[in-house]
């Protein structure tokens, strides 16, 4: 039954469940492009507040060693953040080669043929009895640990999630850059939060605040935003480190609940090595 027919059927719960909400996912691509602009704007505002408005003048006028160290660390982390960010954006996460077909079931060590696949494998699911899977949307087989992304419109190797911040899926070949991006951004936002803390606390004292109104407001907002990002990224970073240690992904985290033993876990050291070099 197609989605249009299901939507018109009576307004019951079944019709709503059958309605394909993911047909609007392509709009997320446009949103993702906007998010890249937002990211660059946040970086630009933060750079202005830290370097141009506060610590740059402090270094030039007073020769402060603290200002020099903060500016040095800030620029180093900023360079790493931008490098890892655009590496995630422009690196293909990994896709299924055209006309790829499985040669055998690696779990069973026996040959399997497409005409023997049960219906549960054809709808994109994976059962304990069938390891070879087929994607109805892409109309081709998909290897283990591969999932279809409704936003990208294709199957992604070792898909973790689709990230609108980078207009890309996070998969086998760009997960390393994504993890580095989260790590560097956490350290960068933490540095900005700590360095702007004195300028934030002065709002709650009787001291006169120097500088233009625009600079004062931007310093306050930048501190709050970087503090919020640092706190949220800390939890996000811990989550993904746990996933790497177990050699799993966000998507597979739900599948593991029904799997007694996760056979992709090679030990934490080899799991980290696999993130760095996903090719066998």
């Amino acid at each position: 039954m197609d989605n249009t027919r299901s939507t018109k059927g009576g307004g019951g719960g079944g019709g709503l469940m059958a309605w394909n909400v993911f047909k609007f996912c392509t709009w997320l691509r446009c949103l993702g492009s906007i998010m890249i602009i937002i990211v660059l704007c946040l970086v630009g505002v933060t750079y202005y507040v830290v370097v141009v408005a506060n610590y740059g003048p402090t270094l030039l006028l007073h020769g402060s060693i603290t200002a020099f160290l903060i500016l040095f660390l800030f620029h180093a982390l900023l360079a790493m953040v931008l490098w890892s960010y655009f590496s995630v954006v422009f690196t293909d996460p990994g896709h299924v080669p055209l006309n790829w077909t499985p040669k055998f079931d690696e779990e069973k060590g026996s040959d399997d043929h497409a005409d023997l696949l049960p219906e549960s494998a054809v709808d994109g699911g994976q059962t304990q009895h069938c390891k070879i899977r087929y994607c109805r949307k892409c109309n081709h087989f998909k290897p283990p640990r591969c999932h279809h992304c409704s936003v990208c419109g294709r199957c992604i190797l070792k898909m973790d999630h689709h990230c609108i911040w980078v207009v890309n899926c996070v998969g086998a070949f760009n997960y390393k850059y994504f993890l580095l991006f989260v790590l560097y951004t956490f350290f960068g936002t933490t540095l900005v939060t700590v360095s702007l803390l004195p300028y934030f606390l002065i709002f709650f004292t009787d001291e006169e605040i120097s500088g233009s109104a625009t600079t004062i407001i931007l310093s306050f907002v930048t501190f709050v935003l970087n503090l919020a990002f640092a706190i949220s990224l800390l939890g996000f970073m811990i989550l993904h480190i746990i996933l790497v240690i177990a050699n799993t992904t966000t998507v597979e985290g739900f599948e593991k609940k029904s799997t007694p033993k996760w056979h992709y876990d090679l030990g934490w050291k080899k799991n980290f090595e696999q993130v760095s070099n996903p090719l066998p």
Side-chain angles (χ1 to χ4, degrees):
M1 181 180 296
D2 60 30
N3 295 331
T4 305
R5 194 181 307 168
S6 300
T7 306
K8 293 180 179 179
L16 292 175
M17 291 298 293
W19 184 60
N20 183 15
V21 296
F22 293 104
K23 67 181 180 179
F24 296 107
C25 282
T26 51
W27 286 97
L28 291 177
R29 300 177 187 175
C30 179
L31 177 61
S33 301
I34 296 174
M35 296 306 291
I36 290 182
I37 297 176
I38 292 177
V39 169
L40 295 179
C41 289
L42 289 173
V43 170
V45 171
T46 301
Y47 190 91
Y48 170 81
V49 170
V50 174
V51 178
V52 179
N54 291 304
Y55 284 95
T58 301
L59 177 62
L60 292 176
L61 296 176
H62 306 289
S64 172
I65 299 298
T66 302
F68 172 80
L69 291 176
I70 289 176
L71 290 174
F72 176 80
L73 291 174
F74 176 79
H75 282 91
L77 286 171
L78 178 61
M80 299 308 293
V81 166
L82 292 176
W83 166 76
S84 58
Y85 178 73
F86 285 107
S87 294
V88 181
V89 173
F90 294 112
T91 301
D92 190 332
H95 62 279
V96 181
L98 189 64
N99 299 325
W100 179 88
T101 56
K103 296 181 180 180
F104 62 90
D105 189 339
E106 296 180 357
E107 301 297 329
K108 298 178 181 178
S110 59
D111 293 336
D112 288 281
H113 302 280
D115 56 350
L116 298 180
L117 289 175
E119 186 175 356
S120 60
V122 177
D123 65 7
Q126 179 177 353
T127 66
Q128 293 180 351
H129 303 290
C130 179
K131 300 298 182 181
I132 294 182
R133 303 143 74 217
Y134 189 87
C135 180
R136 281 193 308 184
K137 298 176 182 178
C138 296
N139 292 319
H140 60 57
F141 292 97
K142 55 183 180 179
R145 315 194 74 180
C146 180
H147 294 83
H148 184 87
C149 175
S150 298
V151 181
C152 295
R154 60 174 180 165
C155 288
I156 304 297
L157 299 178
K158 199 180 178 184
M159 176 180 173
D160 187 89
H161 69 287
H162 184 92
C163 182
I164 61 173
W165 290 90
V166 300
V167 207
N168 202 358
C169 264
V170 177
F173 296 111
N174 65 351
Y175 185 78
K176 174 181 69 173
Y177 302 119
F178 173 78
L179 196 62
L180 290 174
F181 169 64
V182 172
L183 183 68
Y184 291 135
T185 305
F186 167 72
F187 287 129
T189 53
T190 301
L191 174 66
V192 173
T193 301
V194 173
S195 62
L196 292 181
L197 182 59
Y199 299 93
F200 175 78
L201 294 178
I202 200 173
F203 282 93
F204 305 97
T205 65
D206 296 329
E207 296 183 30
E208 183 179 353
I209 304 176
S210 60
S212 65
T214 302
T215 300
I216 294 171
I217 294 173
L218 286 178
S219 297
F220 184 90
V221 173
T222 301
F223 172 85
V224 173
L225 288 177
N226 277 270
L227 175 62
F229 278 122
I231 293 174
S232 59
L233 284 171
L234 175 61
F236 201 60
M237 182 177 63
I238 293 174
L239 168 64
H240 278 277
I241 290 176
I242 293 174
L243 291 176
V244 172
I245 290 175
N247 197 353
T248 187
T249 64
T250 303
V251 175
E252 293 170 343
F254 295 97
E255 298 176 350
K256 287 178 64 178
K257 294 180 180 180
S258 58
T259 305
K261 179 176 174 56
W262 190 244
H263 44 271
Y264 295 114
D265 188 357
L266 307 175
W268 70 269
K269 185 176 180 180
K270 290 186 177 180
N271 292 341
F272 272 95
E273 291 176 354
Q274 189 179 85
V275 171
S276 178
N277 183 24
L279 292 175

